[in-house]
Amino acid sequence: MVVPELRPWRAAGPRLARIADAVRPRLARTATAVRPRLVRLGRTVSSQVTRPKTWQYTAGAATAGLALAVGVVTAAGPWDSSGQRTAERDRAAAERPTGGADHGRNSATTDRAPRPAPSAATVLTGLGGATGGAKPAPRTKALAKLLDPLLDAPALGDRQSAAVVDITTGKRLYGDGAGTALTPASTTKIATAAAVLSALGPDHRLTTRAALEPDTGELVLVGGGDPTLTAREDAKGFASLRALAEDTAAALKKDGVREVTLSYDTTLYAGDELHPIGVDDNIARITALMADEARADDSTSGHAPRVPEPAVEAARSFADLLKDHGIKTTPPGPSKATNRARTLAEVTSPPLSVLVERMLTNSDNDIAEALARHTALATGERPDLEGAGKAIKAELGKLGLPMKGTEFQDGSGLDRDNLLTADLLTSLLTKSADPAHPELRPILTGLPVAGFTGTLTTRYESGAAGLVRAKTGTLTGVNALAGTVVDEDGHLLAFAFLATGTPNTPEARSALDEAATALAACGCT
């Protein structure tokens, strides 16, 4: 996996301690309840062997064992919506290299690329599934009593759209302006993820290649729209520009070529490269060729200064790498590979399932805009901002989702003219858990885990840590949170809270977190 799902024990220690503190009262009550039986047992045994205070040792061991189990289960997560630990999925992929069928959807798998993770059967029917003795889902009136005052908080501004859905049944349990379309900020990425997974499938990969023109001897670095292409020494499972240069140099030498005219091709995309928000540390210029998301520092996520010409910089890096392998090049310039150009070497990205998870966990704007354009390419729309918006909306419509009032101006949510409803977001999450749509599962597994991963790492320091998985959304005056939560009775719920006109971002985030935490603690039956 690109984003580590098992945090180091040292980093996880404080959170596990908080979880242990949270369950300690329940464990104490359990120990008190069993104490009389243990005392009687101790008296029976004492006639044979004198063991003073046997019940204390036994109860203490039971308490310690339960606390340890809580810590181990928490650290071993996160868990996907079917009850499977995502780490198990990764281990299965490693141990079963022949698994994970490539479903023939132009995945362009190569020997260098990691193979798709195998499809896994459902481990649990569902935390709130139809099993004997399961408690009923939360009642609408009880949820309204719980959430109405929390979502009416001044910190959440003057307009809200909220919904809570039982994922097991798909029934909406709570709604407050659920059909009102508001600016969704980065929760837009949930829609982008669903659209690209539906259009291309989770096993599809993005290919960057080097092609040689037969007549001119021009070497063209052809961008495949993979923002995760990396020039760094440790590729960490991403497509490697270094590997591409090494293989290209070997192919050129085999043909007796030691010097080439180098060009680069970014024609896969159309339209303006600059996002409407302008030059910004949140996103690079949107181009089909870039390395390391055009970051000008060593960061891999979050805000960062970007190089002004990502394609040029990637081509220069490629030229330097070719030089290291004995191939001399001219300074790179723009071009377009012809149909006659012979591919010398290529590298491919991880599967879309991995890119989607990374996008959602880190709220990666560069991946989001790339996936939006690939959705446009897959559906016959022009691969620019407008075409990508049309493609996302059309693909979601094919899934039978409630699209009334929605507008997509980009794939990342940076554009304030995007409009989504809480109804659509909860429907997307519910559809992602539907066994009939396994291609959408990476949406659930990619959501940040409260208190542990991605944009929720530093939130939920207590309470619902580990129980909430949600995509965040933040713009000036706009705050949103959409994801899943396990309530006190074990029901898996989808929720979406959108707020516009928020006066203070930290206070708005806290208010949204409080609402999600209340859902986790709810036994509203």
Side-chain angles (χ1 to χ4, degrees), residues 296-314:
D297 58 19
D298 294 330
S299 66
T300 58
S301 63
H303 301 180
R306 311 303 179 104
V307 298
E309 296 181 296
V312 175
E313 190 65 26

Side-chain angles (χ1 to χ4, degrees), residues 16-30 63 66-71 74:
L16 298 181
R18 288 193 295 273
I19 293 170
D21 288 340
V23 301
R24 186 174 290 115
R26 297 182 184 181
L27 297 178
R29 289 194 295 271
T30 301
T63 301
L66 286 170
L68 177 61
V70 170
T74 302

Side-chain angles (χ1 to χ4, degrees), residues 107-116 205 237-239 346-351:
S107 61
T109 303
T110 70
D111 291 338
R112 286 189 179 274
R115 298 182 65 83
R205 301 172 190 267
F238 295 117
E346 64 181 32
V347 289
T348 59
S349 72

Side-chain angles (χ1 to χ4, degrees), residues 263-350:
S263 301
Y264 58 89
D265 182 351
T266 62
T267 60
L268 182 66
Y269 292 169
D272 194 347
E273 292 182 353
L274 192 63
H275 190 279
I277 66 170
V279 177
D280 193 284
D281 287 353
N282 282 293
I283 190 170
R285 297 181 76 93
I286 307 166
T287 174
L289 177 63
M290 66 173 68
D292 300 297
E293 298 184 340
R295 294 174 181 271
D297 58 19
D298 294 330
S299 66
T300 58
S301 63
H303 301 180
R306 311 303 179 104
V307 298
E309 296 181 296
V312 175
E313 190 65 26
R316 286 173 180 166
S317 295
F318 188 60
D320 290 340
L321 293 167
L322 287 173
K323 183 179 179 181
D324 292 341
H325 290 285
I327 302 297
K328 184 178 180 181
T329 73
T330 62
S335 184
K336 177 177 172 58
T338 68
N339 292 333
R340 299 180 60 209
R342 175 169 59 96
T343 297
L344 300 182
E346 64 181 32
V347 289
T348 59
S349 72

Side-chain angles (χ1 to χ4, degrees), residues 222-271:
V222 183
D226 178 11
T228 65
L229 175 72
T230 180
R232 292 170 182 170
E233 193 167 347
D234 184 358
K236 298 184 183 298
F238 295 117
S240 171
L241 194 64
R242 291 172 180 267
L244 182 62
E246 181 181 356
D247 292 349
T248 301
L252 289 170
K253 290 177 182 178
K254 186 176 180 180
D255 291 343
V257 178
R258 297 279 177 166
E259 185 173 347
V260 295
T261 298
L262 181 62
S263 301
Y264 58 89
D265 182 351
T266 62
T267 60
L268 182 66
Y269 292 169

Side-chain angles (χ1 to χ4, degrees), residues 81-82 163-174 190 194 399-402 422-441 443-444 447 469 482-485 492-496:
S81 66
S82 68
V164 178
V165 172
D166 182 351
I167 284 185
T168 303
T169 64
K171 179 182 178 182
R172 192 174 80 188
L173 305 175
Y174 173 83
I190 297 174
L399 291 172
L401 298 166
D423 260 346
L424 174 59
L425 288 168
T426 51
S427 296
L428 280 165
L429 294 165
T430 302
K431 186 74 72 174
S432 301
D434 187 342
H437 290 279
E439 75 279 7
L440 302 181
R441 184 60 60 84
I443 294 173
L444 297 181
L447 293 173
R469 300 190 70 148
T484 65
V485 60
L492 185 61
L493 308 176
F495 69 90

